[in-house]
Amino acid sequence: MLSDVRTQPFQSGHGPLSPGSRAGLGAALALLAIVSAVELADGRPAHYVALMVAAPFLAAALASWRVVLGVGLLATGIGAAFALAEQTMSLVTAVNVAGIALATAIAGAVAAVRQRQSERIAELSRLASVAQQAVLRSLGPQVGTLAVAARYISSTATAEIGGDLYEAMDTPYGVRMIIGDVRGKGLDAVRLASIVLGSYRHVAYERADLRAVVTDLDRAVARNVGDEDFVTAALVEERGGTLTIVNCGHPPPLLLRRGAVIPLEPPAPAPPLGFMPVVRPRVERLEPGDRLLLFTDGLGEARRDGEFFPTADRAWRLLGHGTVADGLASLETALVEWVHGRLDDDIALVLMEYTGPRSAAATPVPSWEVGAAET
């Protein structure tokens, strides 16, 4: 999730200086050195001492309050030295030195407030990261007959938290996966995503038909959202080499087969969860080596200069090599380069590869044949 540099931008205490403190200290010392050199070259009386008042404020923009006070004391000392070097200290020089001391106190207070706010933001970012990890469990590398990998790409550098969701489980009815996108962002979106995933992790083991799973998820969403909130979702089931997909207003998965990229559009459109979707399954027969990309609409909306990322055109070249984890890494790299590091929405990606059928004794009956098998 968040890197240590992002979540811990400032160091408190007496340990090594953080990068921000080192930068602020370096800039302030450079200013003091320049002003001192100009003052020495100018000779007496002191004309440029007042410029040293900027040093503690310059340090306060980046450094900790301790560093700011150290810079301020140094600036005050240098200013006092130039003042004492005058044969007769002028009132202006004395006021300038006093001004440096006052600026040091103000800058130190500003730095302390900024540091506390930064530490609070870092703590909130860490909590957001923990919340996201609690909602989205790691997938793969193998789930049933499928090699599976997943990635979550955040649109913001401050916190990887949002409403995109995914899950893959090996159930009595085959390997089942879900990918979804909650309308909205932030903690409310994460709360609803956790509700959807919690319900899915239960009903995926209980319902033989994916349409029944959709019905249960729709009820869970309807109980916990407002009139304008919803969740788009695509549910996938692999059983005995047969792939079944039901789609609730979500971007269709992409099937990668022998160099071709096939969008698996649903037989009929259905609204998102929360709007009582009535879904029609799409069924495909898988071949060993087939790969399936599930993604949220952040991928389809990624663009630069008004041009959308060509997912379908580049999917095979990016996703058809190496392991499924290698493929997703290549896709993420290409995507970030395309948008120059600026995404408008979070993106969840799941890539799976069908590695071949199980043994006949272990192959379950597809969900739409359960009733026939029992009769």
Side-chain angles (χ1 to χ4, degrees):
M1 288 291 176
L2 301 178
S3 65
D4 291 339
V5 173
R6 262 188 253 159
T7 57
Q8 298 179 359
F10 301 98
Q11 297 281 349
S12 60
H14 302 281
L17 293 179
S18 69
S21 290
R22 288 197 296 269
L25 178 60
L29 292 180
L31 175 64
L32 291 177
I34 292 172
V35 173
S36 297
V38 171
E39 192 68 76
L40 288 173
D42 184 65
R44 301 173 184 173
H47 292 137
Y48 305 102
V49 168
L51 295 178
M52 295 184 181
V53 74
F57 286 111
L58 183 60
L62 296 171
S64 67
W65 64 269
R66 291 185 176 87
V67 172
V68 173
L69 291 182
V71 168
L73 290 175
L74 178 61
T76 303
I78 295 175
F82 280 114
L84 294 175
E86 294 182 354
Q87 294 179 350
T88 302
M89 184 185 303
S90 66
L91 177 61
V92 172
T93 302
V95 169
N96 288 339
V97 174
I100 297 173
L102 178 61
T104 298
I106 296 173
V110 170
V113 172
R114 178 191 51 75
Q115 185 173 346
R116 283 197 299 270
Q117 292 176 339
S118 298
E119 290 171 350
R120 179 173 174 79
I121 292 173
E123 180 62 21
L124 291 175
S125 297
R126 283 192 290 269
L127 291 175
S129 178
V130 170
Q132 188 77 348
Q133 292 179 32
V135 172
L136 297 180
R137 301 185 299 193
S138 298
L139 298 186
Q142 192 77 22
V143 182
T145 59
L146 305 179
V148 179
R151 297 180 84 87
Y152 190 100
I153 307 173
S154 177
S155 61
T156 174
T158 55
E160 291 193 11
I161 192 164
D164 292 17
L165 58 98
Y166 53 76
E167 181 61 284
M169 300 180 297
D170 191 7
T171 75
Y173 308 103
V175 177
R176 286 180 164 178
M177 294 183 288
I178 184 174
I179 190 162
D181 189 358
V182 176
R183 180 182 180 272
K185 294 183 179 181
L187 292 178
D188 286 340
V190 173
R191 179 188 63 84
L192 183 52
S194 67
I195 291 172
V196 173
L197 285 175
S199 299
Y200 178 76
R201 287 163 182 160
H202 173 70
V203 300
Y205 283 94
E206 301 296 328
R207 305 299 187 192
D209 195 314
L210 283 181
R211 288 168 293 189
V213 175
V214 169
T215 300
D216 287 344
L217 294 180
D218 177 68
R219 291 171 180 165
V221 171
R223 286 193 297 264
N224 291 277
V225 299
D227 294 337
E228 298 181 356
D229 296 323
F230 56 84
V231 180
T232 67
L235 284 72
V236 176
E237 176 186 285
E238 183 280 319
R239 195 191 295 206
T242 299
L243 187 72
T244 306
I245 303 171
V246 294
N247 197 314
C248 303
H250 198 77
L254 299 179
L255 177 63
L256 286 69
R257 173 179 292 167
R258 299 193 300 270
V261 179
I262 307 168
L264 299 183
E265 299 280 355
L273 298 174
F275 293 134
M276 296 183 292
V278 178
V279 295
R280 290 179 56 190
R282 173 162 181 164
V283 180
E284 297 285 336
R285 191 66 186 174
L286 292 175
E287 301 175 3
D290 282 353
R291 291 189 173 186
L292 186 72
L293 175 66
L294 309 175
F295 58 93
T296 53
D297 60 6
L299 179 60
E301 296 172 357
R303 59 187 178 270
R304 67 179 181 195
D305 302 326
E307 185 177 0
F308 291 96
F309 181 74
T311 304
D313 294 339
R314 302 181 64 180
W316 178 259
R317 283 179 292 167
L318 295 171
L319 300 171
H321 68 89
T323 66
V324 287
D326 294 334
L328 286 187
S330 297
L331 176 59
E332 180 178 1
T333 299
L335 177 65
V336 172
E337 289 178 355
W338 179 271
V339 300
H340 303 301
R342 296 187 296 272
L343 290 169
D344 296 327
D345 195 7
D346 294 354
I347 301 173
L349 302 170
V350 178
L351 182 63
M352 73 97 177
E353 179 179 352
Y354 177 59
T355 55
R358 306 185 190 189
S359 63
T363 302
V365 179
S367 60
W368 59 92
E369 297 180 5
V370 168
E374 292 174 351
T375 57

